[in-house]
Amino acid sequence: MTQTPLDREEYIEQTYFFRNYRERLEDAIPSQVVLSTIYEEILATTKLPMAIDFLKGELMLTGRISDGMQKLSHYFTPFQTYIMKNAEDDKSKFDQKIALKILEREAKYRTESPSSAGMFIYQFECISRNRLGYHHGLEAISRDTQYNTDWSEWIRKLKQQLGSVDFSDLIYLRSQHFVDEQCKKPGNAEFQPRFPVLFSSQDGRIAKANHNRDPLYMFAALQRQLGYPEVPRNQPQTGKSVFHPALEARLHKIEARLQLIDSELKGNLDLNQFLVKDTRLDNLDSH
């Protein structure tokens, strides 16, 4: 089915859904339990509760919610489905919690009257930073309702241009800044670009300033200067155990027992370490 833009309240509820889904997974709550309860918290005037109920059924049937998202192509965007599909791929190292955070920030940006340039930069950095594949990723992005025909055609052409042309140049050549610079040249005041202008003058200036540099620097500059959403990244867990405290305590006990067995087999088990010293005898000796 052809997807149509959703109302703002749908994206507000999507933001809530993706955020709470991720947080409850971090609390070790199974996905089936999350989907069975969270749909009751969603605003009933939106279509999201019905979508979540359908996703729950697909999860029970196939073990993946991305299959359900793909069947609900009139509600979830191809990019949203592509992100979750990669997160649920058995061979992928892409973390599902990062995927949900990506979808949360994308849905939140849609509630803020997003620009097509800002949405594209965010989505492109998501597939680039997480190495999700440009060919299928750009195809999914191009079918988003955020983009008109000019945008969709340009995004599809990127699949052939990436790698041969600097990415910052691709943005600069489609920006208003490029047109303004051409018009300033002597005898070129009536310059008309051959292709539709997609990016603003500010986008173009930042892109030109990052010529032949790592595109990640350009993404960061666009986020700082123009308020584009920041792409979530894995944060190193410092000082935090990867196991539940009760499980970690049990593992320590098992490790201690294994050390005792190993010492006994080697014949160097010292029983003195298990003797309990009676402090009362020390007190009598002191008197």
Side-chain angles (χ1 to χ4, degrees):
M1 296 178 64
T2 303
Q3 184 192 12
T4 56
L6 302 177
D7 295 333
R8 181 174 179 270
E9 66 177 5
E10 295 285 351
Y11 295 120
I12 293 175
E13 295 305 296
Q14 282 191 15
T15 304
Y16 177 86
F17 167 61
F18 291 130
R19 180 177 66 251
N20 283 272
Y21 188 7
R22 170 180 56 82
E23 291 175 350
R24 295 175 195 187
L25 288 180
E26 291 173 348
D27 291 336
I29 301 176
S31 293
Q32 295 90 332
V33 177
V34 176
L35 296 180
S36 297
T37 57
I38 198 172
Y39 82 97
E40 297 179 354
E41 305 171 25
I42 304 299
L43 187 64
T45 56
T46 65
K47 299 177 181 177
L48 185 55
M50 293 184 291
I52 294 175
D53 191 48
F54 183 82
L55 294 181
K56 180 182 68 174
E58 286 296 313
L59 180 65
M60 299 293 290
L61 183 64
T62 65
R64 294 181 175 88
I65 68 170
S66 58
D67 293 342
M69 294 175 71
Q70 187 170 7
K71 293 178 180 178
L72 295 176
S73 58
H74 59 285
Y75 187 80
F76 295 106
T77 68
F79 176 77
Q80 290 175 321
T81 302
Y82 185 73
I83 291 295
M84 285 306 301
K85 183 178 181 181
N86 278 273
E88 294 178 329
D89 189 346
D90 296 333
K91 298 181 180 179
S92 175
K93 297 181 180 180
F94 184 40
D95 188 6
Q96 187 180 23
K97 299 180 184 65
I98 293 295
L100 290 169
K101 188 175 288 188
I102 286 174
L103 299 184
E104 174 194 340
R105 291 190 183 176
E106 188 212 32
K108 186 176 186 303
Y109 185 56
R110 290 180 185 272
T111 67
E112 302 168 352
S113 300
S115 66
S116 295
M119 183 64 72
F120 168 75
I121 292 297
Y122 176 77
Q123 292 176 335
F124 183 84
E125 185 183 357
C126 286
I127 64 174
S128 175
R129 186 179 289 277
N130 294 286
R131 301 179 181 180
L132 302 182
Y134 291 119
H135 184 79
H136 297 292
L138 288 172
E139 179 61 30
I141 293 174
S142 68
R143 292 189 283 118
D144 197 301
T145 54
Q146 175 67 34
Y147 309 114
N148 58 26
T149 302
D150 293 334
W151 268 100
S152 297
E153 291 179 355
W154 179 74
I155 293 172
R156 290 191 179 96
K157 290 179 181 178
L158 287 180
K159 292 185 287 186
Q160 287 77 37
Q161 296 174 320
L162 287 176
S164 59
V165 182
D166 189 77
F167 185 66
S168 61
D169 290 343
L170 293 172
I171 294 179
Y172 167 68
L173 294 173
R174 285 299 189 102
S175 70
Q176 184 61 42
H177 183 57
F178 169 74
V179 177
D180 295 341
E181 288 193 326
Q182 294 300 313
C183 291
K184 291 179 181 178
K185 293 182 179 180
N188 206 27
E190 302 298 327
F191 172 79
Q192 293 294 329
R194 294 182 298 167
F195 305 104
V197 174
L198 303 178
F199 294 92
S200 68
S201 179
Q202 291 175 303
D203 291 311
R205 284 203 305 271
I206 294 173
K208 185 178 181 180
N210 284 273
H211 175 69
N212 283 337
R213 299 178 66 188
D214 191 327
L216 295 180
Y217 297 145
M218 181 182 68
F219 296 147
L222 289 168
Q223 291 161 8
R224 293 193 305 270
Q225 295 292 328
L226 304 180
Y228 294 165
E230 183 179 352
V231 174
R233 285 175 280 181
N234 278 315
Q235 298 295 332
Q237 296 183 348
T238 56
K240 184 177 180 181
S241 175
V242 296
F243 300 109
H244 189 277
L247 176 60
E248 186 175 12
R250 188 171 183 83
L251 289 174
H252 283 311
K253 292 180 180 179
I254 294 175
E255 183 180 8
R257 292 177 181 177
L258 290 175
Q259 290 177 351
L260 289 176
I261 295 174
D262 183 63
S263 298
E264 184 177 6
L265 291 175
K266 292 180 179 179
N268 55 4
L269 179 63
D270 184 12
L271 297 178
N272 291 325
Q273 60 181 313
F274 303 105
L275 295 178
V276 179
K277 187 176 181 180
D278 194 343
T279 57
R280 292 176 299 176
L281 295 178
D282 293 337
N283 294 332
L284 290 174
D285 291 340
S286 62
H287 294 293

